[in-house]
Amino acid sequence: MTLPPGTPDLDVLDLLVSVAELGSLGAAARRHGISQPAASMRISALERRLHLRLLDRGPTGSALTDAGRAVVDHARPVLESARSFGTAVAALRADNVPRLRIAASKTIADHRIPQWLQVLRGAHPEVAVALEVANSSQVLELVRREAADLGFVEGPHPPADLGSRVLGTDELVVVVSPAHPWARRRGGVSPRELAATPLLWREPGSGTRDAVREVLAGFGEPARPAAELGSAATIIAAARTAVAPAVVSRLIAAPELERGTLVEVSLTESTALTRRFRVVWRPRFPLSGPARLLAEIAERTESDG
């Protein structure tokens, strides 16, 4: 069924309803961002189309006629249906936008994700990306609970229940305040002494903590932490006060080392203080589309670096 001849446009019906709600043609014109003469011309055109007089125009203003009020009563449900239609179409468009939910450890989120997403956006600007930042243990749980399509974590071992791929390695360094006794040691410290020293540790669940603990455990049971802190930035700040040494990513320590607010302490034995960056996903949902592309971008970038 087609619309009957003379069916008015929704915009002019909306203008007429505004006249009824605001009480004047001038106020309705301002609401719609047009001049009062333009509003008057549109209402006049509507009157000609409907063959009805909708407004009584006088020297003190314009008022709706009985026919005008009746048209407004009929127009309101039409306009409401049009708004509902627009909302529904917008929701359909939103549902069709490709979405990618990422979870990443703090170091990867700060130092890797922006670069990877820039490359992804260049290839797929239509993809809407949501990023959640947590420690590695929490990232794994977000992927398991299907709250993230893929995750980026750090640590010594792959999770047994998730698909994973090593992206690269990250160097860890021992750092202290310039005021700490270790800062003046020419020969550095031994891994055994490092293990026996209370250090500034990340919280349980951190990939950095797991990696450092596994290395130091080969030289004796690690000492109880001097403090357990929830972020690498907090550890850096604490290390600057000389409260205790810390083992952190070179990515994070680099600005402090350059400024001299922290000092790197070498190890007397050749010990690999590293951790692996991994991408993880649910095995029953193999990576595809933007998720697969982002994983490939990350792997390529890390191997090139």
Side-chain angles (χ1 to χ4, degrees), residues 240-282:
R240 285 199 302 261
T241 68
V243 64
V247 182
V248 296
S249 167
R250 186 177 291 280
L251 291 172
I252 296 169
E256 304 288 338
L257 296 174
E258 290 174 6
R259 287 193 292 265
T261 52
L262 286 177
V263 176
E264 180 179 352
V265 179
S266 62
L267 295 178
T268 59
E269 300 174 28
S270 179
T271 302
L273 271 177
T274 60
R275 60 181 176 177
R276 292 188 174 98
F277 288 161
R278 285 185 173 85
V279 57
V280 298
W281 64 90
R282 298 182 298 281

Side-chain angles (χ1 to χ4, degrees), residues 6 8-9 12 38-52 54 57:
D9 294 333
V12 70
S40 180
M41 289 176 60
R42 293 183 187 184
I43 297 297
S44 295
L46 176 62
E47 290 175 321
R48 291 192 297 272
R49 173 170 284 191
L50 299 179
H51 303 289
L52 294 170
L54 304 175
R57 296 168 175 82

Side-chain angles (χ1 to χ4, degrees), residues 10 14 26 32 36 48 51 54 70 81 86 94 103 130 165 175 191 208 216 226 231 256 278-279 291 294:
L10 295 176
D14 197 23
H32 289 260
Q36 183 168 337
R48 291 192 297 272
H51 303 289
L54 304 175
S81 294
R165 185 186 308 158
V175 296
T208 304
L216 295 185
S231 72
E256 304 288 338
R278 285 185 173 85
V279 57
L294 182 60

Side-chain angles (χ1 to χ4, degrees), residues 4-305:
T7 299
D9 294 333
L10 295 176
D11 286 345
V12 70
L13 287 180
D14 197 23
L15 177 62
L16 183 66
V17 170
S18 293
V19 173
E21 291 176 349
L22 300 176
S24 76
L25 190 60
R30 287 190 293 275
R31 171 186 281 182
H32 289 260
I34 59 177
S35 66
Q36 183 168 337
S40 180
M41 289 176 60
R42 293 183 187 184
I43 297 297
S44 295
L46 176 62
E47 290 175 321
R48 291 192 297 272
R49 173 170 284 191
L50 299 179
H51 303 289
L52 294 170
R53 186 165 56 85
L54 304 175
L55 291 180
D56 279 331
R57 296 168 175 82
T60 58
S62 302
L64 288 169
T65 64
D66 289 342
R69 285 189 288 271
V71 169
V72 165
D73 289 341
H74 288 296
R76 281 195 169 106
V78 172
L79 293 171
E80 185 57 38
S81 294
R83 294 186 185 99
S84 297
F85 173 78
T87 301
V89 170
L92 288 173
R93 284 199 302 267
D95 288 342
N96 287 329
V97 172
R99 297 181 183 277
L100 181 59
R101 299 169 304 163
I102 306 168
S105 69
K106 186 72 165 62
T107 301
I108 297 175
D110 288 346
H111 296 274
R112 291 292 190 262
I113 291 289
Q115 178 185 359
W116 298 345
L117 290 183
Q118 183 180 17
V119 178
L120 177 68
R121 184 164 182 78
H124 291 282
E126 76 283 1
V127 176
V129 176
L131 171 64
E132 184 156 351
V133 181
N135 68 33
S136 291
S137 179
Q138 293 165 339
V139 169
L140 294 176
E141 190 56 31
L142 288 168
V143 174
R144 291 186 183 107
R145 290 194 289 104
E146 302 184 15
D149 301 311
L150 75 168
F152 295 96
V153 297
E154 53 208 50
H157 302 294
D161 60 333
L162 295 176
S164 68
R165 185 186 308 158
V166 173
L167 301 174
T169 58
D170 179 35
E171 183 184 5
L172 301 173
V173 293
V174 182
V175 296
V176 296
S177 162
H180 192 279
W182 285 4
R184 295 182 292 277
R185 279 203 190 178
R186 294 185 178 181
V189 298
S190 69
R192 188 170 300 279
E193 183 180 4
L194 184 64
T197 300
L199 304 175
L200 299 169
W201 289 84
R202 281 288 303 275
E203 78 287 358
S206 160
T208 304
R209 179 189 178 110
D210 292 343
V212 173
R213 186 171 184 82
E214 180 168 292
V215 172
L216 295 185
F219 299 91
E221 178 64 22
R224 293 184 62 179
E228 293 180 322
L229 304 170
S231 72
T234 308
I235 287 180
I236 291 291
R240 285 199 302 261
T241 68
V243 64
V247 182
V248 296
S249 167
R250 186 177 291 280
L251 291 172
I252 296 169
E256 304 288 338
L257 296 174
E258 290 174 6
R259 287 193 292 265
T261 52
L262 286 177
V263 176
E264 180 179 352
V265 179
S266 62
L267 295 178
T268 59
E269 300 174 28
S270 179
T271 302
L273 271 177
T274 60
R275 60 181 176 177
R276 292 188 174 98
F277 288 161
R278 285 185 173 85
V279 57
V280 298
W281 64 90
R282 298 182 298 281
R284 66 180 182 276
F285 296 108
L287 292 181
S288 62
R292 179 178 178 179
L293 178 58
L294 182 60
E296 291 173 349
I297 290 168
E299 186 173 21
R300 183 170 61 249
T301 302
E302 290 302 299
S303 62
D304 289 347

